[in-house]
Amino acid sequence: MNEMIALMALFAAQTAVPATSPAAGYQIVHNAPLETTLTTPDLPQAGAVWCAMLNTARKSADFEQFYVANKPGSQLDKVIGCMEAAAKRGVKIRFLMEAQGVKISDAPTMERLRAIPGLELRILTFAQLGGSGIIHAKFFVIDGKSAYVGSQNFDWRSLEHIDETGVKIEDPHAVGQLAAIFAHDWAAQATLAAGSHVAPTNTAEVMADDSGPATLVASPNAFNPAGVGDSQAELVKLLAQAEHDVRITVMEYAPLDQQHRYYGVIDNAIREAAARGVTVKLLVADWDLTPLKTPWLRSLAAVPNVEIRVATIPEASSGPIPYARVVHTKTMTIDGKVAWIGTSNWEGGYLDNSRNVELVFRNAAMAASVGQMQESLWNSAYAVSLETAIARRESAKRPNSSGNE
């Protein structure tokens, strides 16, 4: 009942969308888990933004997503309804998904998408492009005029029970770049399906164009369209430019790739910044405290000028929700001047060989907005020091006084 009341309040609040934004053509979008104190009333929420954007569609809506998962009556259920309404108006919808994401998608949602008149669904095994990566990006483009990119998956839980951050985009240059990324990946699926090879578009590192109000970068560099810079190179460059402080919020962090091999690109850049006297505050989700990753977190926390906290979101009053109640946001702020909002976890296998998209704002007001969210979570009751989080986890594993486990 408490969850239903909170959800109704959330729907009522969705109509309040700010008229202004710190950066022209960009609007930060944030949603916090229901029944938490992490809400941001001054920012619009993803479910409302997605539907509003779909309601403006007249010709096309192109989605690139990792997986899909819906629940009747949820915010995503409403979004799919907006997709269906758009299709009835004659809007052509293309939906590109990662093949590995099909395994974790629910069949009814897949069937419902396929049933939308005129919707074309393609499944891409991104690893077949020559690496071991996946489509991990979450974005869509409407009529080639507006776009959305963020940490939110096409999952009902992402819109209600997970902390997520994204950006609505109306800057023509960035929208065009996202459209080019989609076009590349859409065509790559057809090329692979025909039995042909998809050649890399870049054989050298591409640096990002920093001249606009925001810089859009993507990964993997080898398959970025012309003019789209390399996420991994941009992240290292930004950390090298930090002078005073760096704040990072990310679900998972470790200098390891998906095969548990060492990946030190980001970790080295953070350590080098800290060695210069830059204060680094890293917040990760409790999901990151695995036996494999915890020693690496402890190693980084031992570096002077580095502090790590861990966020745990309590269960909803309705009971446990699998794969939810977590901080999934991926943001960074530097010196109160730069903000980073993206789709990638900060581990190997993401910025090096998976499809991800990030936005960089050299804008103090945008940095302040993101920084305020980071500060709120950092100082909340949900976040504790790394050692406290480890101790709590170890204590939970030990038998209690009655002998029960």
Side-chain angles (χ1 to χ4, degrees), residues 289-311:
L289 294 186
T290 67
L292 188 66
K293 298 176 184 179
T294 298
W296 293 101
L297 290 170
R298 273 180 156 157
S299 173
L300 182 58
V303 174
N305 299 317
V306 176
E307 183 179 359
I308 299 178
R309 292 176 73 82
V310 179

Side-chain angles (χ1 to χ4, degrees), residues 139-373:
F139 71 90
F140 60 87
V141 180
I142 302 293
D143 289 339
K145 297 180 179 179
S146 64
Y148 185 91
V149 60
S151 63
Q152 292 94 342
N153 284 299
F154 203 81
D155 182 337
W156 72 274
R157 292 162 291 202
S158 289
L159 304 184
E160 298 174 22
H161 290 283
I162 302 176
D163 191 272
E164 308 272 19
T165 305
V167 182
K168 178 186 176 183
I169 308 169
E170 293 179 328
D171 171 31
H173 181 59
V175 172
Q177 289 179 309
L178 278 173
I181 293 171
F182 178 87
H184 173 277
D185 295 350
W186 184 261
Q189 190 279 337
T191 299
L192 291 171
S196 298
H197 173 67
V198 177
T201 52
N202 302 307
T203 56
E205 181 182 292
V206 178
M207 298 305 293
D209 177 7
D210 298 334
S211 60
T215 302
L216 186 144
V217 290
S219 61
N221 179 67
F223 295 100
N224 280 347
V228 177
D230 177 22
S231 295
Q232 185 171 251
E234 181 73 5
L235 181 56
V236 171
K237 183 180 78 170
L238 290 171
L239 288 168
Q241 293 172 347
E243 296 178 350
H244 305 292
D245 61 88
V246 174
R247 303 198 67 160
I248 303 160
T249 300
V250 67
M251 185 179 80
E252 294 184 348
Y253 179 94
L256 300 170
D257 68 9
Q258 303 303 300
Q259 290 73 44
H260 306 159
R261 298 170 301 200
Y262 180 67
Y263 165 81
V265 177
I266 303 173
D267 202 64
N268 289 337
I270 290 176
R271 289 169 185 264
E272 290 169 4
R276 297 194 310 272
V278 175
T279 298
V280 178
K281 292 185 176 181
L282 168 65
L283 186 142
V284 298
D286 56 338
W287 291 11
D288 206 32
L289 294 186
T290 67
L292 188 66
K293 298 176 184 179
T294 298
W296 293 101
L297 290 170
R298 273 180 156 157
S299 173
L300 182 58
V303 174
N305 299 317
V306 176
E307 183 179 359
I308 299 178
R309 292 176 73 82
V310 179
T312 301
I313 304 300
E315 289 182 359
S317 60
S318 58
I321 303 171
Y323 309 112
R325 309 302 291 180
V326 69
V327 173
H328 193 244
T329 284
K330 298 100 164 53
T331 62
M332 174 176 66
T333 55
I334 298 177
D335 297 339
K337 300 176 182 178
V338 176
W340 168 291
I341 301 175
T343 71
S344 180
N345 290 310
W346 285 30
E347 298 179 331
Y350 289 96
L351 292 175
D352 48 351
N353 61 20
S354 288
R355 175 61 80 204
N356 277 290
V357 179
E358 329 291 328
L359 283 164
V360 179
F361 299 92
R362 288 169 177 78
N363 180 299
M366 290 293 274
S369 185
V370 175
Q372 186 175 0
M373 287 189 289

Side-chain angles (χ1 to χ4, degrees), residues 70 76-84 109 112-113 116 154:
N70 187 36
L76 186 67
D77 200 49
K78 181 179 178 181
V79 170
I80 297 176
C82 291
M83 292 175 68
E84 292 167 335
T109 305
R112 185 175 173 186
L113 290 177
I116 295 177
F154 203 81

